[in-house]
Amino acid sequence: KFTLLIASLFITIGAMAQDYLFVKVNLTEDMLYTNAPCTVTQWGDQFTSWQVLFDDNAGTFLHTEYGNNGASIDGLDHYLRVDLGAGNEISAFKFSYKTRTGSTYDIPQKFIIAGSNEENGTYTEIGRVESGLPRTEGTLWESSVFTSETTYRYLRFMVTETTTDRKGSGVEHNYWHMGEFSLYKAIPAPPCTVVYNYKQNGEL
């Protein structure tokens, strides 16, 4: 007769890859900044209103400076910066965005993501996206998880290349547009534990 002396066997699954739970950051206008605010007013104030990035409408969109030869305030490539606020620093996150409708020109194709704890301080690169970004209008894209050993208050999403690559044709910086933008805090999920309980005779 077979007698099993162990009452319970615990098996932990998922040691090979980290899973995350995601909490959407409630973005507000005062949390966002660009170093290349659009000065062109042909469509009113649309390009200077941050509401266009979270109004669930890809037909309204943020557009960085396409006048003045694509100039930027600080001489860097055009970026979107998020201020999470003191006490809300994060070290793991993902982001998503939707391309605008109405145009396939100047859609972001490469990002450099960097973080800092000083608004105008030194930014440390966290990661890059250099392939797989959408080239079609009204298309939603979501990143993988970016992690850092340091928690950051400020996250900067700099676009270095677009579908049009105007930098290659003499423009100072590639300007770009975006219909929607979302940011998610990534929280490591606890390991998945499966519990098997055995009776004394070895049956489940």
Side-chain angles (χ1 to χ4, degrees):
K1 182 180 177 180
F2 174 70
T3 302
L4 186 65
L5 299 178
I6 302 176
S8 297
L9 175 64
F10 294 86
I11 301 176
T12 301
I13 301 174
M16 297 295 292
Q18 176 66 64
D19 290 324
Y20 293 91
L21 303 175
F22 297 99
V23 178
K24 188 174 184 179
V25 177
N26 183 27
L27 296 175
T28 56
E29 291 190 273
D30 60 339
M31 297 169 67
L32 303 177
Y33 170 86
T34 178
N35 65 330
C38 193
T39 60
V40 181
T41 58
Q42 69 183 79
W43 289 344
D45 66 351
Q46 173 175 301
F47 300 154
T48 57
S49 170
W50 293 111
Q51 288 291 333
V52 297
L53 287 181
F54 34 84
D55 63 356
D56 295 321
N57 181 3
T60 60
F61 48 90
L62 171 71
H63 201 306
T64 63
E65 175 69 296
Y66 62 95
N68 300 315
N69 201 36
S72 66
I73 294 172
D74 54 12
L76 299 177
D77 284 337
H78 298 185
Y79 58 77
L80 173 67
R81 188 180 71 206
V82 179
D83 176 5
L84 295 164
N88 297 313
E89 298 84 356
I90 60 177
S91 60
F93 60 92
K94 70 176 181 178
F95 71 101
S96 68
Y97 70 93
K98 181 178 283 188
T99 59
R100 61 167 281 195
T101 58
S103 177
T104 57
Y105 294 109
D106 307 306
I107 296 176
Q109 290 299 287
K110 290 186 179 182
F111 282 94
I112 297 177
I113 299 95
S116 180
N117 283 309
E118 298 179 10
E119 183 176 0
N120 298 309
T122 299
Y123 279 74
T124 301
E125 183 175 325
I126 299 171
R128 298 187 177 210
V129 181
E130 297 188 310
S131 63
L133 294 177
R135 304 178 69 90
T136 53
E137 58 182 271
T139 304
L140 180 65
W141 178 86
E142 185 176 280
S143 77
S144 57
V145 175
F146 292 92
T147 60
S148 169
E149 293 183 358
T150 304
T151 58
Y152 291 116
R153 170 176 173 171
Y154 298 95
L155 297 177
R156 190 174 72 187
F157 302 85
M158 179 182 289
V159 176
T160 59
E161 187 176 305
T162 68
T163 50
T164 314
D165 193 23
R166 298 184 187 275
K167 220 173 177 183
S169 60
V171 173
E172 188 175 352
H173 299 285
N174 280 311
Y175 43 82
W176 50 270
H177 43 70
M178 185 179 290
E180 298 288 308
F181 178 84
S182 298
L183 179 66
Y184 301 85
K185 180 178 181 180
I187 303 171
C192 177
T193 301
V194 179
V195 180
Y196 294 96
N197 289 313
Y198 291 88
K199 294 181 180 178
Q200 192 69 10
N201 61 3
E203 298 177 354
L204 279 176

